[in-house]
Amino acid sequence: MNHKYKKITTRVLQEMKENGEKIAMLTAYDYTLAKIVDGAGIDVILVGDSASNVMAGHITTLPITLDQMIYHASSVVRAVERALVIVDLPFGSYQGNSKTALDSTIRIMKESGAHAVKLEGGAEVRESVVRIISSGVPVMGHLGLTPQSIYKFGTYNVRAREEEEAEKLLADALVLQEAGCFGLVMEKIPAELAAKVTASLSIPTIGIGAGSGVDGQVLVLHDMLGLTAEFSPRFLRRYLNLAEEINGAVGNYVKDVKSKDFPNVGEQY
Ligand code: KIV
């Protein structure tokens, strides 16, 4: 693939926003898929705490640990040549205070080799954002539906439909920008609000279920590949139906083994 940018950095993302070039971001959690995703030209790989759901089978993102995030992140980093790799700070690794947030970030950066971290929340995480950035690590914010707070919200429904919450979201976005975040993810909010926030910020915004008026899009890799057949929100576009494909392939393998068709003479020594 012939790329305009040989290596994606936070500075490149800023340039993309300024030039009106959309940013393409996907999650990845392991070496093999990260290598394919990077080779296909993705700009940003997020080692999301959604690994808790799609890799480990938990019903929320809360159980995944810092050690587990570092394991996933280091596998991804070993595969990637071009994309910017951002790692989610998992639940419990930054909410305590800014020192805890910095310690967790330093572990991620030292032990995985990733390029940046992401955390959820607005004004309440400002001090942590400032402290992490002052150590030299770029930080991405995350507003709207913030899955680490699922038990506070009670549902995965669209956020910030009401004026008060929408105003708070815009104010939080400005706080995060002022604190030094290089970008902002907005999850499951009305498209009109996401476009308004995007127009109000000079840093790039990345949407998931936030419409087209943002600077880039992110999806969970397993969802867009059709591996998580039971998860079907309106915002999700499926590019493959891999669950069905794998089911068929495994079914054929089982059949071939049982019928003694596999291995044949050409498949043995
Ligand atoms: O963990 C994750 O995959 C995320 C994306 C949904 C933005 O935070």
Side-chain angles (χ1 to χ4, degrees):
M1 208 177 213
N2 189 17
H3 294 295
K4 181 169 159 200
Y5 300 106
K6 291 265 169 285
K7 184 102 190 103
I8 305 297
T9 61
T10 56
R11 190 186 283 260
V12 167
L13 298 184
Q14 184 63 43
E15 206 174 305
M16 285 178 169
K17 173 166 178 133
E18 282 156 21
N19 296 338
E21 181 181 343
K22 296 283 185 185
I23 298 162
M25 172 163 153
L26 280 172
T27 66
Y29 319 96
D30 71 283
Y31 176 86
T32 304
L33 288 179
K35 201 168 177 62
I36 296 170
V37 168
D38 184 56
I42 204 73
D43 297 314
V44 183
I45 292 182
L46 171 67
V47 184
D49 59 358
S50 49
S52 180
N53 309 108
V54 298
M55 299 301 289
H58 294 295
I59 58 167
T60 73
T61 58
L62 276 67
I64 199 160
T65 65
L66 186 56
D67 284 335
Q68 288 164 341
M69 288 302 297
I70 290 169
Y71 168 78
H72 288 298
S74 56
S75 306
V76 167
V77 168
R78 280 192 287 275
V80 168
E81 289 178 11
R82 177 177 176 272
L84 182 81
V85 179
I86 306 174
V87 183
D88 264 339
L89 281 163
F91 178 69
S93 74
Y94 63 97
Q95 288 89 349
N97 55 53
S98 63
K99 168 78 166 65
T100 309
L102 179 61
D103 289 345
S104 302
T105 300
I106 287 173
R107 279 205 59 205
I108 287 174
M109 300 301 285
K110 264 193 183 299
E111 295 176 42
S112 78
H115 311 132
V117 295
K118 172 165 87 57
L119 46 68
E120 297 181 6
E124 66 279 10
V125 294
R126 185 190 174 282
E127 193 186 317
S128 295
V129 170
V130 169
R131 192 154 180 181
I132 295 169
I133 294 169
S134 71
S135 78
V137 179
V139 178
M140 174 170 260
H142 184 154
L143 295 173
L145 176 62
T146 46
Q148 292 179 12
S149 306
I150 184 58
Y151 291 116
K152 187 171 96 185
F153 297 145
T155 80
Y156 285 103
N157 289 346
V158 177
R159 306 297 310 173
R161 277 196 195 279
E162 272 89 52
E163 206 173 315
E164 196 180 330
E165 198 183 338
E167 276 170 17
K168 164 132 177 44
L169 192 143
L170 176 57
D172 279 339
L174 291 166
V175 165
L176 291 172
Q177 172 172 273
E178 180 272 329
C181 282
F182 72 88
L184 174 66
V185 165
M186 293 187 285
E187 181 166 354
K188 237 179 159 183
I189 63 169
E192 203 179 317
L193 173 62
K196 184 175 168 188
V197 174
T198 300
S200 309
L201 297 184
S202 56
I203 57 171
T205 60
I206 309 288
I208 173 163
S212 60
V214 288
D215 299 310
Q217 299 291 331
V218 59
L219 285 175
V220 169
L221 183 64
H222 290 53
D223 298 339
M224 63 85 80
L225 292 179
L227 280 163
T228 50
E230 67 289 351
F231 182 66
S232 208
R234 190 207 293 200
F235 68 77
L236 175 61
R237 186 179 293 183
R238 281 218 178 83
Y239 288 82
L240 277 177
N241 195 343
L242 262 193
E244 215 171 281
E245 297 267 322
I246 292 172
N247 188 284
V250 173
N252 285 337
Y253 169 72
V254 170
K255 186 163 60 64
D256 290 352
V257 170
K258 302 278 180 193
S259 67
K260 302 181 188 154
D261 178 72
F262 176 81
N264 63 28
V265 283
E267 292 163 330
Q268 65 189 25
Y269 300 99

